[in-house]
Amino acid sequence: MLNTLRLRWLDNLLGLFYPNLCLACGRNLPPRQEGICISCRYKLPRTHFHQEADNPFTERFWGRIPLQAGAAFLHFTKGGRTQRLIHHLKYEGKREVGIYLGNLYGQELREAPVFREATLILPVPLHPRKQHRRGYNQSALFARGLSEAMGIPWLPDGLKRTEYTATQTKKSRLERFNNVEKAFVIPHPEKIKQQHVLLVDDVATTGATLEACALKVLEVEGTKVSMATIGIAQ
Ligand SMILES: [Zn+2]
């Protein structure tokens, strides 16, 4: 009893110096709880898109990519929980957020027949210099979390981003797209051959990056493509 009281006292004291905050809402977490508070776990703005074959995610790719399935886990809004989580994942070194969200979403996706048919998970790669600076690729962490929960293998380097860059400003949509397309390579096509690839990324906005990656994958013999992201922006 005394020990428990002492520990709680110590926890509270430490909390003053090292506040343990929920990564989604920023409020104080109870002692010995980590990551996301219980309230946020329930209130995550889930899209439930994976339950519908045609949904606002797949609509973005109509006429661009023949998708087997596509969905985003959460709605991404300015100042919302998803934006906070992604910020921690990308800019605050909180790698565990990516794995955690992958685990959560993987548990839902494995109940969706089309997603369950995927045979290989590939993360959208970062530009090598950016990855070097950050130390990790946030989409790869999400891929790892999904892989664990779905029991589907993932390849960290199935797709690679080349060093190629050109300034994107003052270019037409087509020129921009051609730039993005040249940015990706598949170093070992034999590892992708005949696979139903689940491409994953952090946030889907215009979908241009995912589209360029999908086109690369579809150049390899016998491939099919599905997509999943953590967030989808309006
Ligand atoms: Zn919270």
Side-chain angles (χ1 to χ4, degrees), residues 22 24-25 37 40:
C22 168
C25 70
C37 74
C40 282

Side-chain angles (χ1 to χ4, degrees), residues 181-198:
E181 210 198 357
K182 271 186 245 165
F184 300 97
V185 287
I186 294 179
H188 300 286
E190 71 281 2
K191 291 185 184 168
I192 316 288
K193 211 168 102 182
Q194 307 296 341
Q195 304 278 354
H196 175 175
V197 171
L198 178 60

Side-chain angles (χ1 to χ4, degrees), residues 22-27 29 36-40 81:
C22 168
L23 297 173
C25 70
R27 294 204 192 94
L29 281 170
I36 301 176
C37 74
I38 291 164
S39 161
C40 282
R81 286 186 169 86

Side-chain angles (χ1 to χ4, degrees), residues 16 22 42 55 60 75 77 105 123 126 146 153 161 165 169 179 187 199 217:
L16 290 176
C22 168
Y42 285 103
N55 62 58
R60 283 194 194 181
H75 289 288
T77 49
Y105 200 28
L126 281 183
L146 283 171
R161 208 152 183 149
T165 40
T169 46
N179 269 344
L199 269 177
V217 170

Side-chain angles (χ1 to χ4, degrees), residues 61 64-65 173 177 207-216 227:
F61 296 92
R64 294 158 76 184
I65 296 289
R173 193 184 141 96
F177 178 74
T209 311
L210 279 163
E211 182 182 358
C213 289
L215 287 172
K216 272 282 158 211
M227 294 175 183

